[in-house]
Amino acid sequence: MDKLIIEKTALALFKKHTYDEVKVSDICRACGITKPTFYHYVASKDDLLVTYYDQAVGHMAEALSEVSDGQDPWGQLEACFGALMDETERIGAELLGRIISINIQEDRHSFDRRSSVTDQLVGIIRRGQGCGRFANRQDPTELYEACAHMFQGYELLWCIRKGQTDWRANFLSGLHSMLQVSEAKR
């Protein structure tokens, strides 16, 4: 048994039922473990949720490592934020809403910027400005911060509306406008 199995099993149960309906004993039964074993790996159900968003940001970091410096900066941003949106949708609106609530009650730092991700995205924005792809000439760090906050706003709205909004298209359209993306040079 390891923590990853518990995390995957719990996520499947949370998606099949609801977070409130799933008890620690249900997770233990599905994993074939005892409560002491569960608590050896995980402090609480809330801690499980927090790890899901950390994993989502990890997938964004993986997407960043896969984009090449020669790739179109707008395509790079779409790929990176797309990876985070994919993972956010995998978690689901109800559970992400819970993660947000947990962080409102006690900041678990789920929504803090990760410096490695920030540095890479700021670099992409800087390259986009340098090659004329992004006409907005504001400081790239400030632009990234605004992009990240806009993402979180659309993410929150997606949770409030129980997944019934085209947050992907809305976010990408807002990002496009904020950066003042010009047509790619051929």
Side-chain angles (χ1 to χ4, degrees):
M1 179 57 50
D2 66 17
K3 185 177 179 184
L4 188 58
I5 292 170
I6 296 170
E7 290 170 356
K8 287 181 178 185
T9 302
L11 182 59
L13 288 171
F14 295 150
K15 290 174 115 347
K16 183 176 180 182
H17 305 285
T18 67
Y19 179 80
D20 289 331
E21 291 173 336
V22 176
K23 307 296 180 217
V24 170
S25 59
D26 298 324
I27 298 167
C28 292
R29 189 171 24 266
C31 291
I33 60 173
T34 63
K35 281 187 178 182
T37 301
F38 174 88
Y39 289 115
H40 172 76
Y41 290 103
V42 182
S44 68
K45 275 182 18 178
D46 284 355
D47 283 352
L48 280 172
L49 288 183
V50 171
T51 64
Y52 298 143
Y53 200 79
D54 289 339
Q55 291 168 5
V57 174
H59 285 282
M60 182 184 197
E62 288 173 21
L64 271 167
S65 69
E66 294 172 7
V67 297
S68 71
D69 287 342
Q71 185 180 351
D72 172 56
W74 175 247
Q76 290 176 315
L77 290 179
E78 282 183 308
C80 294
F81 280 109
L84 185 55
M85 287 185 260
D86 289 345
E87 289 301 306
T88 298
E89 289 176 353
R90 184 182 67 80
I91 293 168
E94 189 248 335
L95 292 178
L96 185 63
R98 287 282 189 169
I99 294 167
I100 292 168
S101 292
I102 290 167
N103 277 272
I104 288 171
Q105 293 170 15
E106 175 191 345
D107 187 1
R108 301 282 189 97
H109 305 283
S110 298
F111 301 97
D112 289 358
R113 307 287 177 267
R114 278 46 169 207
S115 61
S116 62
V117 170
T118 298
D119 293 345
Q120 289 179 304
L121 289 171
V122 167
I124 291 170
I125 293 170
R126 186 173 286 114
R127 280 193 303 279
Q129 290 172 325
C131 72
R133 188 74 158 108
F134 304 150
N136 189 330
R137 297 291 176 209
Q138 284 186 267
D139 177 72
T141 302
E142 290 177 13
L143 280 173
Y144 168 70
E145 282 294 318
C147 294
H149 289 297
M150 182 173 59
F151 181 87
Q152 289 172 330
Y154 279 111
E155 193 174 50
L156 176 61
L157 186 60
W158 179 72
C159 292
I160 291 168
R161 294 193 176 154
K162 310 286 190 253
Q164 301 303 308
T165 182
D166 191 1
W167 74 296
R168 283 175 177 263
N170 293 332
F171 168 72
L172 290 173
S173 176
L175 184 62
H176 194 276
S177 295
M178 181 186 300
L179 295 174
Q180 300 170 2
V181 180
S182 63
E183 289 302 312
K185 296 177 179 161
R186 307 237 178 239

